[in-house]
Amino acid sequence: MSYLFHTEDDRREMLKSIGAESIDEIINAQVPEEVRLKRALDLPPACDELTLTAEMTRLATRNASADSHVCFLGGGAYDHFIPAAVDEIASRGEYYTSYTPYQAEVSQGNLQVMFEYETLVTQLTGLGVSNASLYDGGSAATEAVLMSLAMQKGRKKVITSDLVHPQYRDILVAYLENIDAELVVVPSDENGHSKPIMDAVDDQTACVLIQHPNFVGELESVAEIAAAAKQAGALTIQVFDPVSLGRLKRPGDMGVDIAIAEGQSLGNPLAYGGPYLGIMACREELVRRLPGRIAGQTTDRRGKRCWVLTLQTREQHIRREKATSNICSNQTLLALRATVHLSLMGPKGLQETADHCIAKTAYAKEVLAQSDRFEIVGDGPSLKEFVVRDQAADVAGLLAHARAHGVLAGIDLNPMCPGGSEASQASIALPSRYENCFLVAVTEKRSRAEIDRWGKVLCEAPAMATV
Amino acid sequence: MRNQQATQLLFELSREGRRAHRLGDLDVPAVDASDLFDSSDLAESAPPLPELAEGDVIRHFVGLSTLNMSVDTHFYPLGSCTMKYNPKRNERIASLPGFLNVHPMQDESGLQGLLQLLYELQGMFAEISGLPGVSMQPAAGAHGELTALFVAAAYFREQGSDRNVVLTADSAHGTNPASAQMAGFKTKTVKSNSDGLVDLEDLKAKLDDKTAVFMLTNPNTLGLFDRQIAEINRLVHEAGALIYLDGANMNAILGITRPGDFGADLMHYNPHKTFSGPHGGGGPGAGPICVRDFLTKYLPGPIVTRTENDSASGDEDRYTYHLTRPSEDSIGRVRSFFGNVGVLVRAYIYLRTYGGDGLRHVSEDAVLGANYLLSKVKHFLDVPHGDRCMHEFVASATRLKKEKKLSAMDIAKRILDYGFHAPTVYFPLVVDEAVMVEPTETESKQTLDAFVEALFRITEEGEELIHEAPHSTRISRPDDVTAARRPILKWSDAAGESAS
């Protein structure tokens, strides 16, 4: 067997030490006969490394990837550049095969990385404290809402917008279904989204959850919303895009109380949606409600500066049913990747990345504006993502045509619009004005030639229907 | 000599003007952000991140890595955490571009290879558990627990039932009661009996028409398979409640018994324990769940399905794989996109490497290793719950504490000096001064012997030496109390600067 150690001699000697005739004897003495499986598991037969590697390589090449295709897909997962040094560090066994740093003496590497990650997140967000990561952006958004409800006892209302990522809202629906809270999804209008939200906030509101830039790539009036929420005694949670902070104001500087993000864009591969990195930062006063692990600084018995997991009395292994959340593991390896990535980027690198995204996105908009078939939806500026309406109302056909030409040209928004296959409830649908539209993301990785090719493929696609 | 650059912080290494990463010249017309965006949206300057050269970064993080113990470098006899060897082929294959650089919102037509893998993995998870419904969305074991409890809640809601209590064993992982509370349930604790198994009288007393779910760990956290399982199964189901199996200890029973066969209605896997996904310093893991047929419709999605192609010319195109949205009764979703696919790919490779017979060998050797250690350790440490165990066992340092003032924590700290990671201590809560040992199947007899030898020597060593342990690590016995009382959670606090 592949990863087993014992020779038959070893097994015999070990059984002798135990005082048993066979391993079966040990197992059968404990597992009652009536529940024992009397046959072999029905799984594919054991496979050697050579054969399996060949088979898996064939499976892998059957997938269209951001290597085999030119990728303009976003929607919460982005094809940003990852410097080689990130992979090099993260592939060290001392990081990826280590355990949760409960034994601080032999985990100073991981603990210091967590402390540095937390510091970088506070620098990025302008907020006082950060945890050491959560599962992903969507679950971080939900944890932030749960944290707000716990902070604001008696307030049951959670207000959000229909331009927050539909999947994040879907998660929120699943979690809130089981507890005493009400989700209010405020419809946005085309002329800005802050007013309807501000009108909805009242003294029953625990928190307001917004995304900036939002799911369709537009900016929200964060500072205004945060001020209105504060006036009503509610907390403001912002979903942010880490790369956008190369140019945009930080959540903390706009009066936001809790900032969460999908950290995939900080040095983590697309990986078909996971594992990803849930970033969460908040104002210092909220620290004892912050879910997940936190590393902190202290000294050892010789007075040396060191790091430990701290404030663990909030956690499930100590407080059990009274814990602030049930979260046990986190995404340390991805937080490490983000830490290395941000160290390599520095302020200038992050700014440059944002600038390239802005310029290339503006260029892509211009390329598409040349065709009568397409209309850029919304007239605001875009950081890296925008919506295009297909006047020919054939988004699925259009995107399939592009795929056949090696371009992943955008995300079809029809399934997320009311009545679409992914919009099972009104609370997770996009506004109906996004029917016949697709979402485009242009990162710093897209070259002018690739954008031109994307534009050409889209503009030359045959239209099935005309409106 | 330790690399000083490692133990300084990134922020202390920073020098204004240093850069590691630069993009090339823009190949499209430049846009001035301040022309495009409203000034109220724009930051006055970039975030105050450290400024470093690539060499700073590499030396720093390589240096820090040497301060970690890891499975690649050390033996981790860490009970309940199953720290087994992480095969290198899993890492290599999961990093193929066709798995690694695939976007989660791309069309299923370009995902046939990955979807085939995920479809087959769903089938393997169902077969190993004996439960047919599978959702791979949960991102961690505790997330799987929570998701399964959402499923149970949806089931009872549809039944029009007001069952709102979850029973958890007193030896259960802390995540069980925490998950139950987050899913809106009240929790009650069921005691263990003197054999370390579920106290059936206490279970009977607590089961009533309000009980929704009994959360069971079997084998339990004492490393014991609950031989009363048939009776537990009967009692819980006759009371109209469901049995949830915490799958943390699946490494003990692969191919030996199946949760679905011994009564579980829902369970989660920890692929990062059982199927050798690396723990990554505390994550990522994954938490796929399996459920009985009548609960399948409540599972979160998407789920992978397949259709047969009539005009197939070979194996390659025999099936088309689909991402299927959940039914109307589904709880929706618990995570964005599909789940922790990278971890699942590793689990698939692991399962294909072993096959069905091989998996049973895995559990047999895990049981053998644990019983071997138990047979040696019991000569110098008390093992309160018998002579036999499954893949882990719990010893107690009570006698040492009385005789030599040595605690379980002291043993844990001293064993680090011998080059072993510490066992789990003070868990499960039902054993005083608990020392919980799990060798896994991927350690040799020589390693196990060396570990026993080290443990034995510690019990013979002088108190002072042990109280001051560890001696060989960079730091020793950090002050946790001050860390929690006066938290320093970021560098600017540490440097005495005002928080932003």
mmCIF file of all heavy atoms in Angstrom, chain A residues 11 35 39 42 64 66-67 95-96 105-106 136 167 271-272 298 301 305 330 352, chain B residues 12 23 61 69 88 100-102 106 110 127 257 282 336-337 365 413 468 477 479:
data_model
loop_
_atom_site.group_PDB
_atom_site.id
_atom_site.type_symbol
_atom_site.label_atom_id
_atom_site.label_comp_id
_atom_site.label_asym_id
_atom_site.label_seq_id
_atom_site.Cartn_x
_atom_site.Cartn_y
_atom_site.Cartn_z
ATOM 1 N N ARG A 11 4.261 -5.873 11.921
ATOM 2 C CA ARG A 11 2.881 -6.117 12.378
ATOM 3 C C ARG A 11 2.859 -7.226 13.425
ATOM 4 O O ARG A 11 2.171 -7.120 14.438
ATOM 5 C CB ARG A 11 1.987 -6.488 11.188
ATOM 6 C CG ARG A 11 1.682 -5.305 10.271
ATOM 7 C CD ARG A 11 0.453 -5.549 9.392
ATOM 8 N NE ARG A 11 0.147 -4.333 8.630
ATOM 9 C CZ ARG A 11 0.668 -4.056 7.430
ATOM 10 N NH1 ARG A 11 1.473 -4.930 6.828
ATOM 11 N NH2 ARG A 11 0.366 -2.928 6.812
ATOM 12 N N VAL A 35 -22.996 -4.476 12.862
ATOM 13 C CA VAL A 35 -22.784 -3.248 12.082
ATOM 14 C C VAL A 35 -21.506 -3.308 11.235
ATOM 15 O O VAL A 35 -21.155 -2.343 10.573
ATOM 16 C CB VAL A 35 -22.753 -1.977 12.985
ATOM 17 C CG1 VAL A 35 -24.075 -1.828 13.734
ATOM 18 C CG2 VAL A 35 -21.579 -1.997 13.955
ATOM 19 N N ARG A 39 -18.285 -6.752 3.265
ATOM 20 C CA ARG A 39 -17.753 -6.803 1.901
ATOM 21 C C ARG A 39 -16.721 -5.692 1.746
ATOM 22 O O ARG A 39 -16.617 -4.827 2.615
ATOM 23 C CB ARG A 39 -18.885 -6.593 0.890
ATOM 24 C CG ARG A 39 -19.621 -5.268 1.102
ATOM 25 C CD ARG A 39 -20.602 -4.973 -0.023
ATOM 26 N NE ARG A 39 -21.355 -3.742 0.207
ATOM 27 C CZ ARG A 39 -20.915 -2.521 -0.059
ATOM 28 N NH1 ARG A 39 -19.705 -2.322 -0.551
ATOM 29 N NH2 ARG A 39 -21.670 -1.455 0.167
ATOM 30 N N ASP A 42 -17.033 -0.590 -2.429
ATOM 31 C CA ASP A 42 -17.133 -0.593 -3.884
ATOM 32 C C ASP A 42 -16.556 0.718 -4.438
ATOM 33 O O ASP A 42 -17.271 1.663 -4.744
ATOM 34 C CB ASP A 42 -18.612 -0.759 -4.271
ATOM 35 C CG ASP A 42 -18.792 -0.860 -5.767
ATOM 36 O OD1 ASP A 42 -17.784 -1.104 -6.471
ATOM 37 O OD2 ASP A 42 -19.933 -0.682 -6.231
ATOM 38 N N ALA A 64 -11.485 23.966 -19.475
ATOM 39 C CA ALA A 64 -11.040 25.259 -20.002
ATOM 40 C C ALA A 64 -10.535 26.066 -18.815
ATOM 41 O O ALA A 64 -11.264 26.268 -17.850
ATOM 42 C CB ALA A 64 -12.209 25.975 -20.659
ATOM 43 N N ALA A 66 -7.891 29.391 -17.194
ATOM 44 C CA ALA A 66 -7.379 30.719 -17.500
ATOM 45 C C ALA A 66 -6.011 30.629 -18.182
ATOM 46 O O ALA A 66 -5.472 31.644 -18.620
ATOM 47 C CB ALA A 66 -7.283 31.549 -16.228
ATOM 48 N N ASP A 67 -5.468 29.414 -18.307
ATOM 49 C CA ASP A 67 -4.241 29.212 -19.092
ATOM 50 C C ASP A 67 -4.580 28.876 -20.538
ATOM 51 O O ASP A 67 -3.925 29.337 -21.469
ATOM 52 C CB ASP A 67 -3.404 28.076 -18.491
ATOM 53 C CG ASP A 67 -2.889 28.428 -17.130
ATOM 54 O OD1 ASP A 67 -3.727 28.716 -16.259
ATOM 55 O OD2 ASP A 67 -1.676 28.439 -16.918
ATOM 56 N N TYR A 95 4.977 24.932 6.047
ATOM 57 C CA TYR A 95 3.734 25.697 6.146
ATOM 58 C C TYR A 95 2.521 24.804 5.865
ATOM 59 O O TYR A 95 1.607 24.725 6.655
ATOM 60 C CB TYR A 95 3.729 26.875 5.152
ATOM 61 C CG TYR A 95 4.586 28.034 5.573
ATOM 62 C CD1 TYR A 95 5.629 28.502 4.773
ATOM 63 C CD2 TYR A 95 4.343 28.700 6.788
ATOM 64 C CE1 TYR A 95 6.409 29.582 5.157
ATOM 65 C CE2 TYR A 95 5.126 29.779 7.178
ATOM 66 C CZ TYR A 95 6.157 30.219 6.356
ATOM 67 O OH TYR A 95 6.929 31.284 6.743
ATOM 68 N N TYR A 96 2.531 24.113 4.721
ATOM 69 C CA TYR A 96 1.256 23.504 4.348
ATOM 70 C C TYR A 96 0.990 22.181 5.041
ATOM 71 O O TYR A 96 -0.146 21.727 5.054
ATOM 72 C CB TYR A 96 1.076 23.426 2.824
ATOM 73 C CG TYR A 96 1.750 22.292 2.101
ATOM 74 C CD1 TYR A 96 1.185 21.023 2.034
ATOM 75 C CD2 TYR A 96 2.953 22.497 1.443
ATOM 76 C CE1 TYR A 96 1.801 19.996 1.368
ATOM 77 C CE2 TYR A 96 3.581 21.483 0.777
ATOM 78 C CZ TYR A 96 3.001 20.231 0.738
ATOM 79 O OH TYR A 96 3.620 19.204 0.078
ATOM 80 N N GLU A 105 5.189 27.219 20.909
ATOM 81 C CA GLU A 105 6.652 27.098 20.834
ATOM 82 C C GLU A 105 7.139 26.520 19.516
ATOM 83 O O GLU A 105 8.245 26.818 19.079
ATOM 84 C CB GLU A 105 7.187 26.217 21.975
ATOM 85 C CG GLU A 105 7.173 26.874 23.335
ATOM 86 C CD GLU A 105 5.906 26.570 24.115
ATOM 87 O OE1 GLU A 105 4.884 26.219 23.477
ATOM 88 O OE2 GLU A 105 5.942 26.695 25.353
ATOM 89 N N VAL A 106 6.322 25.668 18.917
ATOM 90 C CA VAL A 106 6.772 25.032 17.679
ATOM 91 C C VAL A 106 5.935 25.523 16.489
ATOM 92 O O VAL A 106 5.844 24.851 15.469
ATOM 93 C CB VAL A 106 6.714 23.487 17.784
ATOM 94 C CG1 VAL A 106 7.802 23.007 18.736
ATOM 95 C CG2 VAL A 106 5.347 22.993 18.221
ATOM 96 N N ASP A 136 -14.422 32.111 3.360
ATOM 97 C CA ASP A 136 -14.438 32.786 2.064
ATOM 98 C C ASP A 136 -15.216 34.090 2.224
ATOM 99 O O ASP A 136 -15.737 34.368 3.308
ATOM 100 C CB ASP A 136 -15.079 31.907 0.979
ATOM 101 C CG ASP A 136 -16.587 31.789 1.137
ATOM 102 O OD1 ASP A 136 -17.062 31.797 2.283
ATOM 103 O OD2 ASP A 136 -17.284 31.694 0.117
ATOM 104 N N GLN A 167 -24.790 35.234 -4.488
ATOM 105 C CA GLN A 167 -24.445 34.036 -3.710
ATOM 106 C C GLN A 167 -24.234 34.376 -2.239
ATOM 107 O O GLN A 167 -24.547 33.577 -1.360
ATOM 108 C CB GLN A 167 -23.193 33.365 -4.283
ATOM 109 C CG GLN A 167 -23.420 32.834 -5.689
ATOM 110 C CD GLN A 167 -22.297 31.931 -6.163
ATOM 111 O OE1 GLN A 167 -21.272 31.800 -5.503
ATOM 112 N NE2 GLN A 167 -22.484 31.320 -7.312
ATOM 113 N N ALA A 271 -8.877 28.180 -8.733
ATOM 114 C CA ALA A 271 -9.197 26.886 -8.105
ATOM 115 C C ALA A 271 -10.685 26.552 -8.088
ATOM 116 O O ALA A 271 -11.187 25.998 -7.109
ATOM 117 C CB ALA A 271 -8.614 26.827 -6.693
ATOM 118 N N TYR A 272 -11.386 26.894 -9.129
ATOM 119 C CA TYR A 272 -12.807 26.609 -9.239
ATOM 120 C C TYR A 272 -13.582 26.987 -7.974
ATOM 121 O O TYR A 272 -14.453 26.263 -7.489
ATOM 122 C CB TYR A 272 -13.059 25.137 -9.605
ATOM 123 C CG TYR A 272 -14.492 24.926 -10.043
ATOM 124 C CD1 TYR A 272 -15.030 25.698 -11.074
ATOM 125 C CD2 TYR A 272 -15.323 24.017 -9.413
ATOM 126 C CE1 TYR A 272 -16.351 25.569 -11.453
ATOM 127 C CE2 TYR A 272 -16.649 23.877 -9.782
ATOM 128 C CZ TYR A 272 -17.152 24.668 -10.801
ATOM 129 O OH TYR A 272 -18.461 24.547 -11.161
ATOM 130 N N THR A 298 2.862 38.606 22.575
ATOM 131 C CA THR A 298 3.117 38.543 24.016
ATOM 132 C C THR A 298 4.618 38.312 24.212
ATOM 133 O O THR A 298 5.393 38.521 23.269
ATOM 134 C CB THR A 298 2.249 37.444 24.689
ATOM 135 O OG1 THR A 298 2.387 37.534 26.098
ATOM 136 C CG2 THR A 298 2.635 36.041 24.234
ATOM 137 N N ARG A 301 8.625 33.173 28.723
ATOM 138 C CA ARG A 301 9.112 33.262 30.106
ATOM 139 C C ARG A 301 10.516 33.852 30.201
ATOM 140 O O ARG A 301 10.978 34.214 31.284
ATOM 141 C CB ARG A 301 9.019 31.902 30.790
ATOM 142 C CG ARG A 301 9.953 30.852 30.266
ATOM 143 C CD ARG A 301 9.759 29.517 30.975
ATOM 144 N NE ARG A 301 10.551 28.489 30.321
ATOM 145 C CZ ARG A 301 11.843 28.273 30.605
ATOM 146 N NH1 ARG A 301 12.449 28.965 31.519
ATOM 147 N NH2 ARG A 301 12.497 27.332 29.941
ATOM 148 N N ARG A 305 9.949 38.534 22.723
ATOM 149 C CA ARG A 305 8.706 38.806 21.995
ATOM 150 C C ARG A 305 8.270 37.551 21.230
ATOM 151 O O ARG A 305 9.096 36.901 20.581
ATOM 152 C CB ARG A 305 8.935 39.940 21.002
ATOM 153 C CG ARG A 305 7.703 40.254 20.170
ATOM 154 C CD ARG A 305 7.904 41.484 19.292
ATOM 155 N NE ARG A 305 8.817 41.237 18.166
ATOM 156 C CZ ARG A 305 9.035 42.120 17.186
ATOM 157 N NH1 ARG A 305 8.431 43.297 17.200
ATOM 158 N NH2 ARG A 305 9.877 41.839 16.206
ATOM 159 N N ASN A 330 -9.547 27.611 9.810
ATOM 160 C CA ASN A 330 -9.690 28.816 8.996
ATOM 161 C C ASN A 330 -8.938 28.588 7.696
ATOM 162 O O ASN A 330 -8.914 27.461 7.201
ATOM 163 C CB ASN A 330 -9.244 30.063 9.760
ATOM 164 C CG ASN A 330 -7.810 29.981 10.220
ATOM 165 O OD1 ASN A 330 -7.096 29.029 9.947
ATOM 166 N ND2 ASN A 330 -7.367 30.986 10.922
ATOM 167 N N GLU A 352 -0.309 50.329 -8.536
ATOM 168 C CA GLU A 352 -0.051 50.088 -9.961
ATOM 169 C C GLU A 352 -1.032 49.055 -10.516
ATOM 170 O O GLU A 352 -1.551 49.206 -11.628
ATOM 171 C CB GLU A 352 1.384 49.584 -10.116
ATOM 172 C CG GLU A 352 1.898 49.591 -11.523
ATOM 173 C CD GLU A 352 3.385 49.218 -11.541
ATOM 174 O OE1 GLU A 352 3.733 48.067 -11.185
ATOM 175 O OE2 GLU A 352 4.193 50.083 -11.898
ATOM 176 N N GLU B 12 9.064 45.985 10.262
ATOM 177 C CA GLU B 12 10.347 46.469 10.757
ATOM 178 C C GLU B 12 11.434 46.356 9.688
ATOM 179 O O GLU B 12 12.428 47.070 9.725
ATOM 180 C CB GLU B 12 10.740 45.667 12.014
ATOM 181 C CG GLU B 12 9.774 45.916 13.167
ATOM 182 C CD GLU B 12 9.795 44.849 14.253
ATOM 183 O OE1 GLU B 12 10.395 43.774 14.042
ATOM 184 O OE2 GLU B 12 9.182 45.088 15.300
ATOM 185 N N LEU B 23 4.773 46.029 -12.563
ATOM 186 C CA LEU B 23 4.159 45.645 -13.831
ATOM 187 C C LEU B 23 4.914 46.339 -14.952
ATOM 188 O O LEU B 23 5.583 47.347 -14.733
ATOM 189 C CB LEU B 23 2.685 46.081 -13.841
ATOM 190 C CG LEU B 23 1.750 45.295 -12.903
ATOM 191 C CD1 LEU B 23 0.409 46.003 -12.775
ATOM 192 C CD2 LEU B 23 1.552 43.868 -13.414
ATOM 193 N N PHE B 61 10.183 34.779 4.970
ATOM 194 C CA PHE B 61 9.202 33.696 5.091
ATOM 195 C C PHE B 61 9.850 32.306 5.111
ATOM 196 O O PHE B 61 9.322 31.401 5.746
ATOM 197 C CB PHE B 61 8.137 33.792 3.994
ATOM 198 C CG PHE B 61 7.188 34.942 4.216
ATOM 199 C CD1 PHE B 61 7.306 36.106 3.473
ATOM 200 C CD2 PHE B 61 6.203 34.867 5.193
ATOM 201 C CE1 PHE B 61 6.449 37.175 3.689
ATOM 202 C CE2 PHE B 61 5.348 35.926 5.425
ATOM 203 C CZ PHE B 61 5.470 37.090 4.664
ATOM 204 N N MET B 69 6.808 23.249 13.460
ATOM 205 C CA MET B 69 6.789 21.800 13.267
ATOM 206 C C MET B 69 5.745 21.514 12.200
ATOM 207 O O MET B 69 4.783 22.271 12.024
ATOM 208 C CB MET B 69 6.407 21.096 14.559
ATOM 209 C CG MET B 69 7.583 20.828 15.466
ATOM 210 S SD MET B 69 7.129 19.663 16.781
ATOM 211 C CE MET B 69 8.703 19.496 17.617
ATOM 212 N N LYS B 88 2.717 13.684 -1.779
ATOM 213 C CA LYS B 88 3.181 14.755 -2.662
ATOM 214 C C LYS B 88 2.458 14.731 -4.013
ATOM 215 O O LYS B 88 2.271 15.769 -4.635
ATOM 216 C CB LYS B 88 4.696 14.659 -2.869
ATOM 217 C CG LYS B 88 5.469 14.814 -1.571
ATOM 218 C CD LYS B 88 5.161 16.143 -0.890
ATOM 219 C CE LYS B 88 5.511 16.103 0.577
ATOM 220 N NZ LYS B 88 4.944 17.221 1.341
ATOM 221 N N LEU B 100 -6.324 24.062 -11.259
ATOM 222 C CA LEU B 100 -5.976 25.213 -10.421
ATOM 223 C C LEU B 100 -6.476 26.546 -10.984
ATOM 224 O O LEU B 100 -6.864 27.424 -10.230
ATOM 225 C CB LEU B 100 -4.446 25.279 -10.272
ATOM 226 C CG LEU B 100 -3.944 26.116 -9.114
ATOM 227 C CD1 LEU B 100 -4.389 25.515 -7.789
ATOM 228 C CD2 LEU B 100 -2.431 26.224 -9.152
ATOM 229 N N ASN B 101 -6.492 26.661 -12.310
ATOM 230 C CA ASN B 101 -6.826 27.965 -12.882
ATOM 231 C C ASN B 101 -8.179 27.963 -13.580
ATOM 232 O O ASN B 101 -8.350 28.546 -14.645
ATOM 233 C CB ASN B 101 -5.710 28.410 -13.837
ATOM 234 C CG ASN B 101 -4.401 28.593 -13.087
ATOM 235 O OD1 ASN B 101 -4.404 28.918 -11.902
ATOM 236 N ND2 ASN B 101 -3.292 28.347 -13.756
ATOM 237 N N VAL B 102 -9.129 27.284 -12.955
ATOM 238 C CA VAL B 102 -10.467 27.174 -13.510
ATOM 239 C C VAL B 102 -11.374 28.139 -12.755
ATOM 240 O O VAL B 102 -11.369 28.167 -11.522
ATOM 241 C CB VAL B 102 -10.972 25.721 -13.364
ATOM 242 C CG1 VAL B 102 -12.373 25.588 -13.912
ATOM 243 C CG2 VAL B 102 -10.019 24.773 -14.078
ATOM 244 N N GLN B 106 -17.533 29.738 -14.781
ATOM 245 C CA GLN B 106 -17.488 29.436 -16.210
ATOM 246 C C GLN B 106 -18.489 28.344 -16.551
ATOM 247 O O GLN B 106 -18.987 27.637 -15.674
ATOM 248 C CB GLN B 106 -16.064 29.061 -16.634
ATOM 249 C CG GLN B 106 -15.562 27.728 -16.154
ATOM 250 C CD GLN B 106 -14.072 27.550 -16.499
ATOM 251 O OE1 GLN B 106 -13.235 28.353 -16.098
ATOM 252 N NE2 GLN B 106 -13.749 26.508 -17.230
ATOM 253 N N GLY B 110 -16.989 23.609 -20.360
ATOM 254 C CA GLY B 110 -15.529 23.615 -20.265
ATOM 255 C C GLY B 110 -15.021 23.060 -18.950
ATOM 256 O O GLY B 110 -13.897 23.346 -18.539
ATOM 257 N N GLU B 127 -20.457 5.885 -0.867
ATOM 258 C CA GLU B 127 -20.147 4.475 -0.625
ATOM 259 C C GLU B 127 -19.443 4.274 0.726
ATOM 260 O O GLU B 127 -19.770 3.367 1.477
ATOM 261 C CB GLU B 127 -19.280 3.930 -1.779
ATOM 262 C CG GLU B 127 -18.621 2.583 -1.531
ATOM 263 C CD GLU B 127 -19.594 1.416 -1.357
ATOM 264 O OE1 GLU B 127 -20.817 1.608 -1.534
ATOM 265 O OE2 GLU B 127 -19.120 0.308 -1.025
ATOM 266 N N THR B 257 -16.777 -0.407 9.021
ATOM 267 C CA THR B 257 -18.206 -0.199 9.258
ATOM 268 C C THR B 257 -18.567 1.146 8.638
ATOM 269 O O THR B 257 -17.681 1.961 8.369
ATOM 270 C CB THR B 257 -18.537 -0.239 10.764
ATOM 271 O OG1 THR B 257 -19.946 -0.040 10.933
ATOM 272 C CG2 THR B 257 -17.786 0.827 11.541
ATOM 273 N N GLY B 282 -3.712 25.262 9.894
ATOM 274 C CA GLY B 282 -5.015 25.593 10.475
ATOM 275 C C GLY B 282 -6.086 25.758 9.409
ATOM 276 O O GLY B 282 -7.181 26.222 9.679
ATOM 277 N N SER B 336 -19.927 30.491 -1.056
ATOM 278 C CA SER B 336 -19.941 30.930 -2.436
ATOM 279 C C SER B 336 -19.345 29.828 -3.332
ATOM 280 O O SER B 336 -18.546 29.011 -2.875
ATOM 281 C CB SER B 336 -19.140 32.220 -2.598
ATOM 282 O OG SER B 336 -17.822 32.036 -2.129
ATOM 283 N N PHE B 337 -19.789 29.811 -4.583
ATOM 284 C CA PHE B 337 -19.269 28.873 -5.571
ATOM 285 C C PHE B 337 -19.470 27.416 -5.129
ATOM 286 O O PHE B 337 -20.433 27.110 -4.447
ATOM 287 C CB PHE B 337 -17.806 29.206 -5.914
ATOM 288 C CG PHE B 337 -17.613 30.669 -6.216
ATOM 289 C CD1 PHE B 337 -16.753 31.464 -5.485
ATOM 290 C CD2 PHE B 337 -18.372 31.275 -7.225
ATOM 291 C CE1 PHE B 337 -16.619 32.833 -5.756
ATOM 292 C CE2 PHE B 337 -18.244 32.633 -7.499
ATOM 293 C CZ PHE B 337 -17.365 33.404 -6.761
ATOM 294 N N ASP B 365 -4.159 -0.366 9.990
ATOM 295 C CA ASP B 365 -2.843 0.051 10.492
ATOM 296 C C ASP B 365 -2.955 1.206 11.476
ATOM 297 O O ASP B 365 -2.141 1.330 12.398
ATOM 298 C CB ASP B 365 -1.904 0.411 9.327
ATOM 299 C CG ASP B 365 -1.105 -0.814 8.860
ATOM 300 O OD1 ASP B 365 -1.452 -1.933 9.303
ATOM 301 O OD2 ASP B 365 -0.152 -0.648 8.073
ATOM 302 N N LYS B 413 4.786 20.098 26.774
ATOM 303 C CA LYS B 413 5.872 21.035 26.489
ATOM 304 C C LYS B 413 7.226 20.318 26.425
ATOM 305 O O LYS B 413 8.067 20.633 25.596
ATOM 306 C CB LYS B 413 5.923 22.140 27.564
ATOM 307 C CG LYS B 413 4.713 23.065 27.562
ATOM 308 C CD LYS B 413 4.511 23.767 26.226
ATOM 309 C CE LYS B 413 3.288 24.664 26.226
ATOM 310 N NZ LYS B 413 2.894 25.073 24.867
ATOM 311 N N GLU B 468 10.349 23.906 33.186
ATOM 312 C CA GLU B 468 10.923 24.969 32.364
ATOM 313 C C GLU B 468 10.977 24.612 30.879
ATOM 314 O O GLU B 468 11.450 25.387 30.066
ATOM 315 C CB GLU B 468 12.307 25.346 32.885
ATOM 316 C CG GLU B 468 12.185 26.091 34.196
ATOM 317 C CD GLU B 468 13.521 26.501 34.771
ATOM 318 O OE1 GLU B 468 14.547 26.322 34.100
ATOM 319 O OE2 GLU B 468 13.519 27.002 35.908
ATOM 320 N N ARG B 477 7.057 28.752 26.727
ATOM 321 C CA ARG B 477 5.944 29.112 27.609
ATOM 322 C C ARG B 477 5.551 30.587 27.503
ATOM 323 O O ARG B 477 5.784 31.378 28.426
ATOM 324 C CB ARG B 477 6.286 28.742 29.052
ATOM 325 C CG ARG B 477 6.671 27.282 29.178
ATOM 326 C CD ARG B 477 5.757 26.514 30.060
ATOM 327 N NE ARG B 477 6.247 25.127 30.166
ATOM 328 C CZ ARG B 477 5.712 24.211 30.952
ATOM 329 N NH1 ARG B 477 4.682 24.502 31.705
ATOM 330 N NH2 ARG B 477 6.188 22.982 30.982
ATOM 331 N N ASP B 479 3.343 33.961 27.522
ATOM 332 C CA ASP B 479 2.408 34.475 28.515
ATOM 333 C C ASP B 479 1.036 34.694 27.853
ATOM 334 O O ASP B 479 0.747 35.744 27.301
ATOM 335 C CB ASP B 479 2.984 35.792 29.064
ATOM 336 C CG ASP B 479 2.106 36.393 30.144
ATOM 337 O OD1 ASP B 479 0.992 35.875 30.374
ATOM 338 O OD2 ASP B 479 2.549 37.392 30.741
#
